[in-house]
Amino acid sequence: MAPTPQSPGAGERRAGHLVIIGGNEDRDNDKQVLRRFVELTARADPKIVVLCAAGATGDTAWKVYDQAFADLGVQQRLALEMASREDANDPKAADRLLTADGIFIAGDDQKRLLAVIGGTLVHQALHKACDELGRCIAGTSAGAAALSQHMMHDGGAGAPAPGTALSLAAGLGLLQRVLIDQHFSERQRLGRLLSVVAQNPTLIGVGIDEDTALVIERSGGGLEVVGDGAVTLIDGRQMSSNFLPGPEHEALELVDVKLHLLPAGARYGSAAKAVPPALQDIVSILTSRGSPLS
């Protein structure tokens, strides 16, 4: 899964990767996650664009990542700060994404991110960069949660009572049939992710720890976990639950839920070890193309 940096070639088709980061990635020391993102652009001199739309003050996020990527030797660094839907519908902004080798979506508030760029030219450019041009796209924290077709809208850390639904909203749609939860172990979010899977059993729950990334290779069907933590995958498609409450149930009950824990360093598919049979269907879902925008 480790591409060799090379010089750009006209019309060259790259593998395409998603780097889904649980937030609070190291930006000061060894920078494992950010370093891997830069490597996956497969360029000796990559052009990195940092999309800042999830926070009210995009310049703050940009200063942090500008320094971090500079420390990693990236010469071509560009901020794309989105304060309004007018900004996100600027053809020049979309073109900047389409000419980037790597696109990094900064975090803060996924609801704000979608309110600003959802359905705009920038949103369309993200899909084209990912699915047609094979670029490397990363999202951290809120930027990670927003990558899928469905995203968490609100909710606490614990499991709510049966019948109490956690709100979901439309995400960017680069992944299908997946729900991403970030800051996973640090904020004790296993209960809420289990609850959302009980509410929506067709979705695969993906919990990502801080300073950890799930790397998805779209064309080669590979997965990799980078950083200091782990990735938790929850599959509830065969489970039974009391999500719809009965008179005798006061707490959420789930039976036959499959949970997979992938530590940092785990690699499957592509040039790595074969995907275990228990993960093959999930890997197929994760590596499939997202929802096209009309």
Side-chain angles (χ1 to χ4, degrees):
M1 275 185 68
T4 302
Q6 52 190 282
S7 300
E12 182 183 344
R13 182 69 167 84
R14 284 172 270 177
H17 292 82
L18 291 175
V19 182
I20 311 171
I21 307 168
N24 200 27
E25 69 282 353
D26 173 32
R27 304 156 200 159
D28 300 311
N29 299 306
D30 59 4
K31 307 180 185 68
Q32 291 183 69
V33 171
L34 296 181
R35 187 182 303 275
R36 187 68 177 126
F37 164 67
V38 174
E39 291 173 352
L40 288 168
T41 64
R43 291 291 187 250
D45 182 24
K47 178 180 178 181
I48 302 295
V49 173
V50 179
L51 175 58
C52 303
T57 54
D59 60 333
T60 302
W62 164 239
K63 290 176 183 177
V64 171
Y65 289 109
D66 183 34
Q67 184 61 57
F69 287 126
D71 291 344
L72 289 171
V74 177
Q75 300 297 316
Q76 300 184 73
R77 310 181 304 275
L78 177 67
L80 194 58
E81 298 177 13
M82 303 275 99
S84 67
R85 293 184 64 78
E86 287 75 17
D87 292 341
N89 271 313
D90 183 349
K92 293 181 180 178
D95 286 343
R96 290 190 182 102
L97 293 181
L98 295 176
T99 58
D101 298 303
I103 301 168
F104 190 94
I105 306 174
D108 197 332
D109 182 351
Q110 59 259 38
K111 298 187 295 295
R112 186 181 191 279
L113 174 63
L114 265 295
V116 171
I117 72 171
T120 65
L121 292 179
V122 161
H123 190 182
Q124 294 174 25
L126 284 172
H127 273 263
K128 183 172 183 179
C130 180
D131 294 327
E132 297 180 30
L133 303 179
R135 303 299 195 248
C136 184
I137 298 181
T140 185
S141 189
L147 289 175
S148 56
Q149 187 176 8
H150 301 85
M151 68 178 189
M152 203 88 69
H153 188 268
D154 55 27
T164 305
L166 293 173
S167 297
L168 299 183
L172 294 171
L174 299 180
L175 290 164
Q176 297 188 71
R177 298 174 58 193
V178 171
L179 187 76
I180 298 164
D181 208 350
Q182 71 280 54
H183 307 283
F184 194 65
S185 293
E186 293 77 9
R187 300 187 186 179
Q188 300 179 339
R189 288 178 165 174
L190 177 60
R192 84 167 185 177
L193 189 56
L194 283 167
S195 300
V196 176
V197 171
Q199 178 185 339
N200 303 272
T202 61
L203 299 181
I204 301 297
V206 179
I208 306 178
D209 294 348
E210 292 181 356
D211 195 23
T212 306
L214 174 63
V215 177
I216 299 173
E217 182 183 333
R218 298 300 280 269
S219 62
L223 295 185
E224 177 183 0
V225 181
V226 180
D228 284 336
V231 172
T232 301
L233 303 176
I234 298 175
D235 182 356
R237 288 174 293 174
Q238 303 300 320
M239 75 177 178
S240 58
S241 77
N242 67 338
F243 177 75
L244 298 176
E248 72 279 12
H249 295 295
E250 295 181 355
L252 188 63
E253 178 182 346
L254 306 176
V255 177
D256 204 14
V257 179
K258 295 179 182 178
L259 187 149
H260 308 278
L261 186 67
L262 309 183
R267 297 176 65 187
Y268 302 104
S270 190
K273 64 182 179 182
V275 179
L279 284 178
Q280 287 176 357
D281 190 38
I282 293 178
V283 170
S284 178
I285 290 171
L286 289 171
T287 57
S288 63
R289 290 184 55 172
S291 303
L293 296 180
S294 57

